[in-house]
Amino acid sequence: MKKSIPLFYLVVLISYCAFAQPKVEVYPSNWWVGMKWNKVQVIVHQKDIANSHASISYPGVKLLKTSKQESPNYLFLDIFISPTAQAGKVKIKIEGKGNHSVIDFELKPKRKGNGHAYAQGVTSKDLIYLLMPDRFSNGDPSNDRFADMNDTSCDRNNPFLRHGGDLQGVTNHLGYFKELGITALWLTPVIENDQALTDEGNTKRSAYHGYAFTDQYKIDKRFGGNEAYKEMIDAAHAQGLKIIQDAVYNHVGDKHFLFLDKPSKDWFNQWPKYTNTTYRDEPLVDPYASKWDYNISVNGWFTTFMPDLNQRNPYVANFLIQYALWAVEEFGIDGWRVDTYFYSDRDFLNRVNQALYTEYPQISIFGENTMQSVTEQAYYCKNNINTAWKSNLQGVIDFQWEGSVHDGLNANFGWSNGIMHVYNILVQDILYKDPMRNEILLDNHDQDRFFSVVGEDFDKFKMGIVLLLTQRGIPQLYYGTEILMKNFKNPSDAEVRKDFPGGWKGDSVNKFDASGRTPKENEAFDFIKKLAWFRKQSSSLQTGKTMQFVPEDAIYVYFRYDEKQTVMVVLNTGDKEKNISLKRFAEITKGFSKMKDIFSGNISTLSNFLMNAHESAVFELMR
Ligand SMILES: [Ca+2]
Ligand SMILES: [Ca+2]
């Protein structure tokens, strides 16, 4: 029997259904055909969905398994996408008590250019510029605040609140990076941080830093959202700039949907009462460590408002691994910087790294391992140490190298003092599988600014820049170093995260332009630019070998060389003018007759020469 329904009732019925279905969220939001990671665990988040039935009918796509969690509001679907599946919209039917919905899960065609147009990897050929989007430039004042977010503040006069900087502000300055000789950008996280203001040391603070994710699949709309991120990356790629994404696996923000409605309690490391990590790295490497110390370091929380993820839970691991793959494919990321590296479960870390290497063979990954020694740093990346557990991380952010430069430039020369520190750090490269994979730096967003570290001494500043751009590894500049931005983290790290002058409409000075910089700032900018551009076409500085000579009388001399080019770096770290004798270096200078000063362009006979106190020089040797 056929029944006809009057139109009025039909309209009511349809609108009732649309209204009655509780909001459904799906993570990942889509996938691709032809991925090596072709068993995707899709999280469906909807009120009271756990007892619903899911089904899929799509050629080449199979629903392998449906799993419940403790929360009634989740259904986890293990979906297999066969190599023959075509791009299109997979309809996932959800049927349950009072719940009939269809989810469109899109399978997109893969992005073209794996390994050369994206996922290119950031290597020692590159020069990275690290910036904080909130503090760099406000390209779109219309996105500074949103009434529907947990934190609606935005105030440039308050160092702890958001300042309105965004992705459009970065896109607007791609030419500036190019001019300076930058080849890769690393932005502190741009993922949604819909956190409320937090109370820290009697000040209310915004999560402008970006390290408290609330939904990985959304770029924060105060930075411009997913579209602005895509536009920025496409524009950067078009200009030959690579993109590094800042990843956090260790924790999320306490307003993250997975924390507010936990699939199960063990998604997060639980303690009988709140337990902070001790921030101690030693127990992770110590052969005599107690389980007690190890456990608190790894499973204690980073802060009260950053719940610690339990990556030993396979669902958590899948969520994090799939997000990493999703972000690279969706946005076209080239390199991966992993925050708070050693605080995560280390077997998980090897798994997520391996998933990225398998899918994107050229991709590069380096981890933030703020550790106490070279041994510990090396243990947490590929190394030559004979231990049972081995890390597959390519390289670390080399804080040990950085510390050696600070000590090397600030302390007086001695048997194991002053510039000997830098020499000695390189001696320990014997522990790394590939020290060229380490990211080297003079400062970053968590540290005193380098110009202040060297007491605003311009000669020392230049020496630091020379070390950064001529030693092994992947050099990273922190925004503002090129215009001598200074400050210590006193009273807080906001002091080293000031707005870039000229990044906001109406700023009294614009230091993106030479005319807005002081003569000294231009000298710093031009010095970096000169060396960065030399490095850009210098095979020996980019990928060559190193030969260093034991510093004598406060003079440090080292060479970078390959079959095409030999570069000699000479640093006089002492207080007196010195005569530099080349006799000691004959084994590497043999066959060369001239030397070209890369700053002045002057070519002179390769012979003994005088160097001023605190002078640094870079020469290309010529036959
Ligand atoms: Ca803005
Ligand atoms: Ca942890």
Side-chain angles (χ1 to χ4, degrees):
M1 194 176 69
K2 210 175 161 192
K3 231 178 165 181
S4 74
I5 305 171
L7 187 63
F8 170 74
Y9 287 112
L10 195 66
V11 170
V12 169
L13 187 69
I14 289 170
S15 33
Y16 175 75
C17 286
F19 186 70
Q21 297 301 335
K23 191 172 134 206
V24 59
E25 286 153 330
V26 181
Y27 309 93
S29 49
N30 65 280
W31 206 249
W32 293 266
V33 288
M35 295 279 280
K36 296 209 168 67
W37 187 278
N38 59 8
K39 283 185 187 141
V40 185
Q41 188 161 70
V42 177
I43 303 178
V44 185
H45 188 208
Q46 188 179 31
K47 195 168 179 344
D48 295 324
I49 194 180
N51 292 316
S52 298
H53 175 77
S55 60
I56 288 177
S57 166
Y58 190 93
V61 177
K62 244 199 257 171
L63 177 59
L64 300 175
K65 204 175 116 195
T66 307
S67 333
K68 286 196 236 181
Q69 304 269 325
E70 284 167 17
S71 162
N73 305 325
Y74 288 96
L75 207 53
F76 282 52
L77 313 176
D78 288 13
I79 294 174
F80 172 65
I81 301 156
S82 81
T84 60
Q86 300 290 309
K89 280 187 180 151
V90 177
K91 305 236 175 264
I92 305 175
K93 240 191 218 171
I94 305 284
E95 293 165 288
K97 232 187 192 171
N99 181 7
H100 294 268
S101 41
V102 178
I103 298 162
D104 276 335
F105 185 74
E106 192 178 3
L107 291 180
K108 297 186 189 175
K110 269 197 77 171
R111 188 181 268 275
K112 289 194 175 61
N114 186 351
H116 54 91
Y118 76 106
Q120 302 171 80
V122 176
T123 69
S124 59
K125 290 183 175 178
D126 288 299
L127 171 56
I128 300 169
Y129 191 89
L130 160 64
L131 65 89
M132 300 197 88
D134 183 62
R135 301 297 160 95
F136 188 66
S137 173
N138 190 358
D140 180 3
S142 77
N143 64 16
D144 291 358
R145 60 180 102 213
F146 290 91
D148 64 349
M149 297 195 84
N150 284 312
D151 166 14
T152 56
S153 65
C154 180
D155 179 3
R156 282 185 78 195
N157 296 317
N158 185 327
F160 304 113
L161 300 181
R162 287 176 182 272
H163 290 182
D166 50 35
L167 292 162
Q168 187 59 52
V170 178
T171 309
N172 291 348
H173 293 99
L174 297 178
Y176 175 79
F177 306 128
K178 288 284 285 185
E179 186 198 353
L180 188 55
I182 302 300
T183 66
L185 300 179
W186 157 22
L187 280 58
T188 51
V190 292
I191 287 169
E192 184 194 82
N193 274 223
D194 191 8
Q195 290 283 96
L197 288 172
T198 48
D199 210 330
E200 291 172 72
N202 295 324
T203 51
K204 296 278 188 200
R205 300 190 185 191
S206 287
Y208 69 88
H209 48 72
Y211 290 97
F213 300 171
T214 52
D215 183 349
Q216 273 83 342
Y217 287 88
K218 284 184 194 147
I219 301 300
D220 203 298
K221 56 185 178 182
R222 289 163 294 198
F223 291 142
N226 292 25
E227 285 314 307
Y229 195 40
K230 275 183 199 163
E231 280 167 27
M232 182 206 80
I233 294 171
D234 289 349
H237 280 162
Q239 297 224 32
L241 291 162
K242 298 172 184 173
I243 299 294
I244 297 168
Q245 182 161 315
D246 203 328
V248 190
Y249 305 131
N250 181 60
H251 50 258
V252 290
D254 62 2
K255 296 286 185 282
H256 195 287
F257 70 94
L258 288 165
F259 186 69
L260 295 176
D261 183 7
K262 297 173 198 64
S264 63
K265 239 209 246 142
D266 68 352
W267 268 61
F268 296 89
N269 287 312
Q270 301 289 341
W271 296 84
K273 74 175 215 268
Y274 177 77
T275 301
N276 209 96
T277 174
T278 49
Y279 306 111
R280 282 264 170 217
D281 54 293
E282 298 92 330
L284 279 66
V285 183
D286 179 6
Y288 314 114
S290 64
K291 287 198 183 95
W292 174 271
D293 286 334
Y294 184 97
N295 192 29
I296 295 182
S297 280
V298 177
N299 300 325
W301 289 23
F302 209 70
T303 67
T304 49
F305 46 88
M306 287 180 177
D308 200 66
L309 282 161
N310 170 18
Q311 302 97 359
R312 296 176 305 284
N313 176 328
Y315 296 105
V316 176
N318 274 338
F319 174 76
L320 295 170
I321 292 169
Q322 291 180 173
Y323 172 71
L325 298 170
W326 184 89
V328 175
E329 194 63 31
E330 179 71 6
F331 298 118
I333 304 301
D334 298 298
W336 213 237
R337 178 264 184 187
V338 186
D339 183 65
T340 43
Y341 193 79
F342 64 78
Y343 296 92
S344 289
D345 178 74
R346 57 195 184 193
D347 294 322
F348 158 78
L349 290 168
N350 278 351
R351 279 188 61 207
V352 63
N353 292 342
Q354 191 53 55
L356 284 163
Y357 300 149
T358 301
E359 203 77 53
Y360 306 106
Q362 298 302 316
I363 206 162
S364 57
I365 311 174
F366 53 80
E368 183 202 26
N369 280 315
T370 317
M371 305 182 99
Q372 305 301 315
S373 67
V374 175
T375 309
E376 284 160 274
Q377 273 191 185
Y379 182 78
Y380 264 83
C381 67
K382 289 185 181 174
N383 61 56
N384 299 319
I385 312 168
N386 185 18
T387 48
W389 180 79
K390 299 295 281 185
S391 171
N392 66 3
L393 180 67
Q394 292 166 342
V396 291
I397 297 181
D398 201 341
F399 293 114
Q400 292 296 314
W401 182 87
E402 181 199 25
S404 81
V405 172
H406 293 180
D407 294 343
L409 299 182
N410 281 333
N412 288 329
F413 183 72
W415 179 257
S416 56
N417 236 340
I419 200 65
M420 282 303 296
H421 285 288
V422 179
Y423 169 84
N424 278 327
I425 279 292
L426 293 197
V427 170
Q428 294 166 76
D429 276 0
I430 194 166
L431 294 174
Y432 297 111
K433 265 273 178 303
D434 187 0
M436 292 289 265
R437 287 284 194 175
N438 282 0
E439 194 236 51
I440 56 175
L441 68 161
L442 299 171
D443 57 3
N444 70 17
H445 56 302
D446 293 324
Q447 300 179 338
D448 299 333
R449 280 193 174 267
F450 179 65
F451 191 44
S452 296
V453 168
V454 293
E456 299 181 27
D457 178 320
F458 197 63
D459 289 330
K460 288 182 180 178
F461 173 83
K462 288 202 284 190
M463 215 171 268
I465 296 296
V466 166
L467 285 164
L468 181 71
L469 294 181
T470 64
Q471 290 225 320
R472 97 291 188 263
I474 313 168
Q476 169 242 295
L477 272 178
Y478 180 44
Y479 82 94
T481 299
E482 72 277 20
I483 53 160
L484 300 175
M485 279 172 77
K486 55 195 182 196
N487 268 346
F488 294 98
K489 281 174 42 164
N490 183 15
S492 81
D493 49 20
E495 298 303 310
V496 300
R497 300 168 174 184
K498 298 241 177 198
D499 298 347
F500 193 104
W504 277 250
K505 212 180 156 205
D507 276 359
S508 57
V509 285
N510 177 13
K511 294 191 193 289
F512 285 113
D513 195 88
S515 63
R517 299 192 282 262
T518 66
K520 206 73 191 166
E521 288 162 0
N522 271 323
E523 202 182 332
F525 185 95
D526 293 341
F527 186 82
I528 295 174
K529 178 178 163 181
K530 186 93 192 188
L531 192 47
W533 277 90
F534 175 74
R535 192 181 188 281
K536 254 185 151 175
Q537 49 77 45
S538 162
S539 61
S540 66
L541 291 186
Q542 288 187 329
T543 55
K545 294 177 182 164
T546 297
M547 184 186 288
Q548 61 172 350
F549 289 81
V550 182
E552 285 180 358
D553 204 13
I555 305 284
Y556 182 31
V557 180
Y558 57 92
F559 295 82
R560 297 295 305 278
Y561 65 104
D562 59 18
E563 60 286 350
K564 281 182 270 173
Q565 186 190 44
T566 298
V567 166
M568 175 171 74
V569 180
V570 187
L571 308 178
N572 178 5
T573 68
D575 298 332
K576 293 192 185 79
E577 184 188 66
K578 294 275 168 60
N579 181 38
I580 310 295
S581 163
L582 298 181
K583 196 175 154 205
R584 268 207 300 161
F585 319 126
E587 67 191 275
I588 186 143
T589 58
K590 210 171 88 187
F592 293 103
S593 60
K594 286 175 279 189
M595 55 194 224
K596 181 181 178 182
D597 182 321
I598 74 110
F599 291 104
S600 67
N602 290 340
I603 298 174
S604 55
T605 307
L606 183 64
S607 61
N608 298 353
F609 60 96
L610 283 175
M611 253 182 104
N612 295 327
H614 305 296
E615 190 182 353
S616 33
V618 181
F619 300 101
E620 182 176 3
L621 302 191
M622 300 165 77
R623 302 207 181 261

